[in-house]
Amino acid sequence: MELTVAEPRTALSLRALLSLMALSREGDRREGILLRQGKGWFQVSGMGHEALAAIVYAMRPDDYLFPYYRDRALILARGVTNYELALAYLAKKDSSSGGRQMPGHYSDRERNIFSVATPTAAQCLPATGAAWGFKMEGSDQVVVTSVGDAAVRQGEFYEALAFALQEKLPVVFVIEDNRYGISTPTEKFFPYRLGALGEDSLVRVDARDPLEVYEKGEAAINKARRGDGPTVLWCELDRLCSHTSSDDQRVYRQADDISCDQMRDPLDNLARELIHQGVLTPEDWKTELEQIERVVRDEYDLAEHTPDPQPEAIMEHLFGEPAPLLASPVTFGEPAATMVSAVNQTLLKALEQDPRTIIFGEDIEDPKGGVFGLTKGLSNAYPSQVFNSPLAEATIVGAAVGLATTGWRPIFEIQFMDFIGPALNQLINQAASLRWRTCGEWSCPFTLIAPYGAYLPGGSLWHSESNEGMWAHIHGVNVVIPSTAEDAAGLLWTVIHGNDPTLFLLPKHIFRKRTPVRPECEPIPLGKAAIRRSGEDITVVSWGNCLELAEEAAERMEDEGVSVEILDLRCIVPCDYEAIAQSLGHTGRLVVVHEDARTTGFGQSIISEIVSKPDWFNLLLSPPQLVARQDVHIPYHPTLEYAALPDLNDVLSAMRLVME
């Protein structure tokens, strides 16, 4: 059954909208039945929120919707079919996520419906990123993003709202206020009720009335399309169901409270109004409900018999296909350069090559040009592509997600990798999983540059941590760590043109060290280690700052008649395990040196991988050794800092041990 809704100003269109609302309601009801039958594992309902579907009809097909999990009716109004939602509920192979997402986590690239992530308010910052991109390119496209009332206490909602107001972005925030965050009444928490936020951009909506939803939604969308900035629609409605199938609202709500909400059911009220107006007869409405019930039942039955996802496909779409290596236009005028200058030149060429490349970060505009000078001169050269960000790391990464998904090439900077904490929600729950959770339908390739690491006294624990083992654990994100100027330029050029989110970490201790460069910079593929020193007795695997320790230790061991091969990984993810095994084929001894902590540092992963494969384990002549930081934070006083970090004697001791 195909249900379409015309512009819902007329009785006829309200009639069709009523049918769509009924379709949404029946889909929720059918899923509840199936769950009780043991067919399915979880359900989240949109009962009571159906009238919000009216706002979709003020949108154009090229506008974007960033919904949340209670927006079934909006999704249907946007063109997703009941059958597609049935596939998603049953987690089937042909569902939008291939069975990887819970029901209610909608996604449709063709219809510009951004993939829902469970963490509340996580969609708000990517929505503003997309809206920012539309504004910069001169498009009159609009973004609509919805969020539950409890979620507006999340810091990311405030960051998104502040960013939208600051830049007058074409975005409409739809707050679906059903007065509950699971079991907790939100009245005393809701910021607009508390007067915590100004009301200049706020519009209150009785979201039980679809005409009011449409009219106020249309006004907000038109305002955004004119370039007059964002609107917050405070939509008051009722949740006519428990939070999810795992919840029972009768435990924490009074019966008369639930009954009062049922009396305001937007579906029943609209039906009664249309019957009263003579647009609909009770008999026709009863017949249509029976028809909708049959169609929904049949489509869920049909979906039930489609193929399930296959286990062997679990790793598909974690990363995109490697992009072709494009010749780099970066040239070096001297025989040696620093990583800082190499990054600066590479960024300049990227801005020059592609007007959809954008750089965003704290203090990166001239005259400062970044706290380390990485972006010096760039905003003067390209003022429409290089921008200072607010002091808000979640905004930086969240905006990157929204921009990247709409065709931009964000190259954003975090001042120190230690400060990534506020942005982890966006990095882990949006960027890293987006491609995988949509089976490749969505992707967000962006580059996040951050200085990292210690061996630079005075940094303390919020300017000197490395933690690359933690970043390697974020599935779906590349982790790149150059150690020379040439590698910094070649790897950065590759990731800028890549297909996935990448952390590009610059080791602070050595990023001003001048290293030899060839006149023409070549792009470097990810996951290819470099041999920094050839040897026959010991393989030392390292990266970043600790390569200096490895080099110095190798010189000392040569005096003792021991030949050391040094392998610079350059990339933690993807990791070149084959190069390590190849080196072990002629040395038989392994030492891994890194400045991250010992416990769950990436060195443990390397050693585990080597010893777990019989062919590689049989290459070993002695137990592998790990040289790492103690499991402690980096202190401020230089003496204490170096006490925590691996030093030359630690590396020498490990080398001598594997030679015994």
Side-chain angles (χ1 to χ4, degrees), residues 318-429:
L318 188 60
F319 290 95
E321 290 297 319
L325 294 180
L326 302 177
S328 170
V330 177
T331 58
F332 294 103
E334 299 181 6
T338 67
M339 279 192 272
V340 171
S341 64
V343 167
N344 183 270
Q345 290 182 60
T346 306
L347 294 177
L348 183 63
K349 293 297 182 181
L351 292 167
E352 177 183 302
Q353 181 194 66
D354 185 358
R356 291 177 70 84
T357 295
I358 179 172
I359 303 178
F360 187 56
E362 297 160 8
D363 300 298
I364 67 167
E365 288 184 24
D366 295 311
K368 182 73 172 175
V371 295
F372 295 106
L374 293 171
T375 55
K376 192 75 172 176
L378 300 186
S379 68
N380 284 340
Y382 294 93
S384 63
Q385 293 171 254
V386 182
F387 303 96
N388 279 339
S389 74
L391 189 66
E393 286 77 16
T395 296
I396 294 171
V397 179
V401 172
L403 284 163
T405 56
T406 52
W408 290 77
R409 281 284 172 177
I411 310 171
F412 286 11
E413 181 188 320
I414 300 289
Q415 272 189 359
F416 293 85
M417 194 57 187
D418 312 62
F419 298 163
I420 194 68
L424 284 180
N425 182 44
Q426 289 298 318
L427 182 64
I428 297 172
N429 294 316

Side-chain angles (χ1 to χ4, degrees), residues 51 114 184 200 219 278 310 389 435 510:
F114 186 74
T184 303
D200 289 346
Q310 297 302 303
S389 74
R435 179 188 293 278
I510 60 173

Side-chain angles (χ1 to χ4, degrees), residues 51-66:
L52 286 173
I55 196 174
V56 173
Y57 302 103
M59 299 174 66
R60 294 192 321 222
D62 62 340
D63 293 334
Y64 275 63
L65 178 63
F66 284 69

